[in-house]
Amino acid sequence: MAEASKVIHIRNVGHEIAEADLLQLMQPFGTVSKIVMLRAKNQALLQMQDIHSSVSALQYYSTVQPSVRGRNVYIQFSSHQELTTDQSSHGRNSDQDSEPNRILLATIHHMMYPITVEVLHQVFKAYGFVEKIVTFQKSAGFQALIQYQSRQEAVEACGSLHGRNIYDGCCQLDIQYSNLSELQVHFNNDRSRDFTNPSLPTEQRPRPSQQGFPDPGNLYAFQQPGALFAQMGRAAMIAAAFGGSLPPGVTGTNERCTLIVSNLNPEQTNEDKLFNLFSLYGNIVRIKVLRNKPDHALVEMADGFQSELAVHYLKGAMLFGNKLEVNYSKYPTITPAPDAHDYATSSLNRFNSNVVKNYRHCCAPTKMIHISALPQDISEDAILAHVSEHGSVVGTKLFEVNGKRQALVLFETEEEATEALVSKHASSLEGNTIRISFSQMQSI
């Protein structure tokens, strides 16, 4: 297999397959930043936003045969690490000065919550009959094409919705007129829908059903003016963030926010180190090490779902020679006190932004850590010197994503990687405050 790359090579791409089809194929795994269609060779190159997304896609499609419009396609890592081709000719982003048309192109800015076809339909149907919706991910961000029955309906929607937020403080709509005359919809699912043809198939694709989660359209109250939806329904956000299916064993229904963590190594563990570990699964409100039981600590997370993720992924994890026990506490919250460390307003909480991406990358501790926010001129030796005290480093790799230096460090054991993460996340390296998370990659 070729070396892991954020560029994916797709073969057997027939002429009936469009860019949007390939974007839909990869959307469950992350943002596609660039795409090149090699029509003469029936091939395509797609560059994911980061290497984790491309690895996730390749791992999934190693067990599931990807099919687009009934045609099997074959994917592998490209020999290219970056695509440098100018992408301006790809896609159909219309100019602001385009003539009014019954098809609108909407770009979602500041997208903190997932946006589905149901959410868009709930917003746009207030201005007329919406015939079709197609969503896709481009370098400009998450975009959607919305086709109305008449041009007048589209004009009214554009005038009313442009610049407004779907949710309070986020998901801003940037609306233009498309140059397309008719949308082609082949599947009715959470990424595309033909409301005039409900009998279309849902497509065999890498997304389990959303059974067990309510229809997002039933969760929102339309609000004028200001945000279109005051708050996103929690269950709908959870379902959408995980592509409609939660990790096996996670219910998404827990409401207990405070955890009791026991069997800690009191000589080497403190509140900040616990914060570095538990913040992988949600925002932290407070942490308190129990003075009468120094091998026990209380961890209060922002909501019950995030605490459930922490229990799911950290129960039994090894930290400083001890096997952690993580359970729900009988206490609903941690009372503010001098010995309770408050993290509610900490800028180090990982779920203040990129919420969907953070949920998508949640996993149990692995042997590989991912380091970001590195200095531009950092060397592998400097990184090694910074983390090697925590265990045997098997390999390192320094790379760049969107002009920002990042690194992968592979340890011999998961426990060593966990120790490095809790000890060095948010530490200073050559003047930069670095960020560390677990990587799901198997090798460098």
Side-chain angles (χ1 to χ4, degrees):
M1 177 181 282
E3 180 185 359
S5 166
K6 60 184 178 181
V7 180
I8 292 174
H9 180 201
I10 305 181
R11 294 179 290 113
N12 200 34
V13 179
H15 287 279
E16 74 277 11
I17 296 176
E19 280 185 30
D21 298 317
L22 299 180
L23 290 169
Q24 289 183 15
L25 188 70
M26 292 298 163
Q27 187 178 351
F29 306 99
T31 302
V32 177
S33 59
K34 295 180 182 179
I35 181 169
V36 176
M37 303 294 286
L38 306 172
R39 291 296 188 190
K41 298 181 179 180
N42 281 352
Q43 298 176 13
L45 295 171
L46 289 88
Q47 180 172 312
M48 305 299 287
Q49 183 171 311
D50 55 51
I51 199 164
H52 300 286
S53 301
S54 61
V55 168
S56 297
L58 265 291
Q59 285 177 341
Y60 183 88
Y61 288 127
S62 67
T63 58
V64 175
Q65 173 61 56
S67 177
V68 182
R69 298 202 184 190
R71 174 191 284 261
N72 286 345
V73 295
Y74 304 94
I75 69 175
Q76 63 190 47
F77 289 121
S78 169
S79 58
H80 300 283
Q81 290 296 314
E82 294 270 351
L83 291 180
T84 57
T85 306
D86 179 14
Q87 300 303 308
S88 61
S89 62
H90 297 276
R92 292 298 303 264
N93 290 16
S94 57
D95 296 327
Q96 287 283 8
D97 298 330
S98 297
E99 285 294 316
N101 183 11
R102 68 183 182 131
I103 300 177
L104 301 176
L105 172 65
T107 303
I108 314 296
H109 300 297
H110 314 301
M111 196 171 105
M112 290 184 63
Y113 297 121
I115 300 296
T116 63
V117 163
E118 287 84 358
V119 170
L120 291 167
H121 186 246
Q122 187 81 358
V123 172
F124 283 87
K125 72 178 184 180
Y127 302 93
F129 181 70
V130 176
E131 294 184 334
K132 301 174 183 179
I133 296 177
V134 175
T135 66
F136 47 93
Q137 196 82 33
K138 297 285 282 185
S139 56
F142 182 85
Q143 296 183 313
L145 290 163
I146 299 98
Q147 178 174 314
Y148 279 98
Q149 194 168 46
S150 72
R151 186 175 69 170
Q152 183 55 42
E153 292 169 332
V155 169
E156 184 178 348
C158 183
S160 301
L161 295 175
H162 178 67
R164 293 185 63 185
N165 292 337
I166 295 178
Y167 299 113
D168 191 18
C170 64
C171 301
Q172 185 182 47
L173 289 164
D174 179 356
I175 303 177
Q176 308 168 21
Y177 294 106
S178 169
N179 292 326
L180 298 174
S181 57
E182 183 75 29
L183 290 184
Q184 301 298 319
V185 176
H186 302 278
F187 303 104
N188 283 339
N189 51 44
D190 61 343
R191 293 170 296 166
S192 63
R193 188 74 52 85
D194 185 342
F195 295 95
T196 68
N197 186 4
S199 62
L200 285 177
T202 59
E203 176 189 10
Q204 294 181 353
R205 59 193 180 88
R207 299 278 279 283
S209 72
Q210 290 193 16
Q211 185 175 1
F213 293 96
D215 179 356
N218 294 330
L219 294 173
Y220 314 123
F222 200 81
Q223 180 185 1
Q224 298 272 3
L228 300 172
F229 299 142
Q231 291 293 332
M232 187 171 199
R234 180 170 168 273
M237 189 195 81
I238 293 168
F242 280 90
S245 176
L246 295 179
V250 176
T251 67
T253 60
N254 172 64
E255 295 182 353
R256 291 167 291 182
C257 298
T258 303
L259 305 175
I260 180 75
V261 187
S262 57
N263 201 34
L264 294 167
N265 181 331
E267 300 298 321
Q268 295 181 274
T269 308
N270 58 30
E271 288 86 352
D272 286 347
K273 289 180 180 178
L274 289 173
F275 171 87
N276 289 346
L277 182 60
F278 280 80
S279 64
L280 288 166
Y281 309 102
N283 284 345
I284 307 299
V285 180
R286 290 183 188 89
I287 297 178
K288 180 179 180 179
V289 174
L290 304 184
R291 300 308 168 197
N292 58 338
K293 291 183 179 179
D295 63 337
H296 285 60
L298 293 172
V299 177
E300 182 184 343
M301 306 196 70
D303 63 44
F305 174 63
Q306 294 179 350
S307 67
E308 185 179 11
L309 286 178
V311 170
H312 176 74
Y313 286 120
L314 291 179
K315 186 185 283 286
M318 296 296 297
L319 179 63
F320 297 119
N322 289 14
K323 188 175 183 178
L324 296 183
E325 189 58 44
V326 185
N327 294 293
Y328 300 108
S329 170
K330 64 181 179 181
Y331 300 105
T333 61
I334 299 175
T335 304
D339 59 346
H341 288 227
D342 196 313
Y343 296 94
T345 59
S346 173
S347 61
L348 295 175
N349 267 317
R350 303 176 193 246
F351 286 70
N352 290 330
S353 61
N354 296 325
V355 175
V356 177
K357 182 178 178 182
N358 280 308
Y359 276 137
R360 191 181 296 129
H361 291 311
C362 282
C363 66
T366 67
K367 298 177 184 179
M368 184 99 69
I369 60 172
H370 173 260
I371 309 176
S372 58
L374 288 165
Q376 282 300 108
D377 56 352
I378 194 76
S379 66
E380 285 193 24
D381 287 343
I383 295 170
L384 190 62
H386 194 64
V387 301
S388 60
E389 66 179 285
H390 302 290
S392 301
V393 175
V394 177
T396 61
K397 182 177 182 180
L398 198 56
F399 58 97
E400 207 166 279
V401 176
N402 296 329
K404 296 179 180 179
R405 300 291 273 175
Q406 302 185 17
L408 293 169
V409 180
L410 178 63
F411 285 88
E412 206 163 76
T413 68
E414 292 168 1
E415 183 179 0
E416 292 171 340
T418 304
E419 180 180 326
L421 184 147
V422 302
S423 302
K424 290 300 194 294
H425 174 67
S427 65
S428 178
L429 179 56
E430 296 186 4
N432 281 29
T433 301
I434 62 173
R435 300 177 69 86
I436 305 179
S437 57
F438 290 115
S439 170
Q440 298 179 53
M441 292 182 63
Q442 302 300 308
S443 61
I444 293 181

